[in-house]
Amino acid sequence: MLYAILGDDVPNSLERRLAARPAHVARLEQLQMEGRLVLAGPTPSVDSPNPGPAGFSGSIIVATFDSLEAARAWADSDPYVAAGVYANVNVKPFLQVFPR
């Protein structure tokens, strides 16, 4: 089943985010290689594809996991969690309607 992982950044986390990004991206690349990743990306803090020093307010990941517990465990072990980038992470079952 698909799960949406929604991470909300703590204020002023850009430096921590950039430092942890290679490890975070490596985990996403593994999901992609396994054919489990639907989409992933950050949410800019400002209305711009390049937010500069404004940074990001969080991240959205949609991927396939065996269960809600497995999705939560994967999210809890994210390098952004360990680095203190995320203030909280919400994991929800997700039903994709579009695109078909």
Side-chain angles (χ1 to χ4, degrees), residues 5 24 28-29 31 37-43 59-63 74:
I5 300 170
H24 172 79
L28 294 170
E29 288 172 338
L31 284 179
L37 185 64
V38 174
L39 64 88
T43 54
S59 301
I60 300 171
I61 299 165
V62 177
W74 188 91

Side-chain angles (χ1 to χ4, degrees), residues 17 25 29 50 58 84:
R17 177 181 269 273
V25 169
E29 288 172 338
N50 181 7

Side-chain angles (χ1 to χ4, degrees), residues 61-79:
I61 299 165
V62 177
T64 300
F65 292 92
D66 290 335
S67 66
L68 180 58
E69 293 76 21
R72 284 184 178 145
W74 188 91
D76 287 345
S77 64
D78 193 288

Side-chain angles (χ1 to χ4, degrees), residues 87-100:
N88 61 50
V89 178
N90 195 357
V91 181
K92 301 178 180 189
F94 180 79
L95 297 176
Q96 183 176 349
V97 176
F98 291 100
R100 294 181 187 195

Side-chain angles (χ1 to χ4, degrees), residues 2-14:
L2 290 176
Y3 295 90
I5 300 170
L6 310 165
D8 296 317
D9 285 18
V10 299
N12 303 311
S13 62
L14 183 58

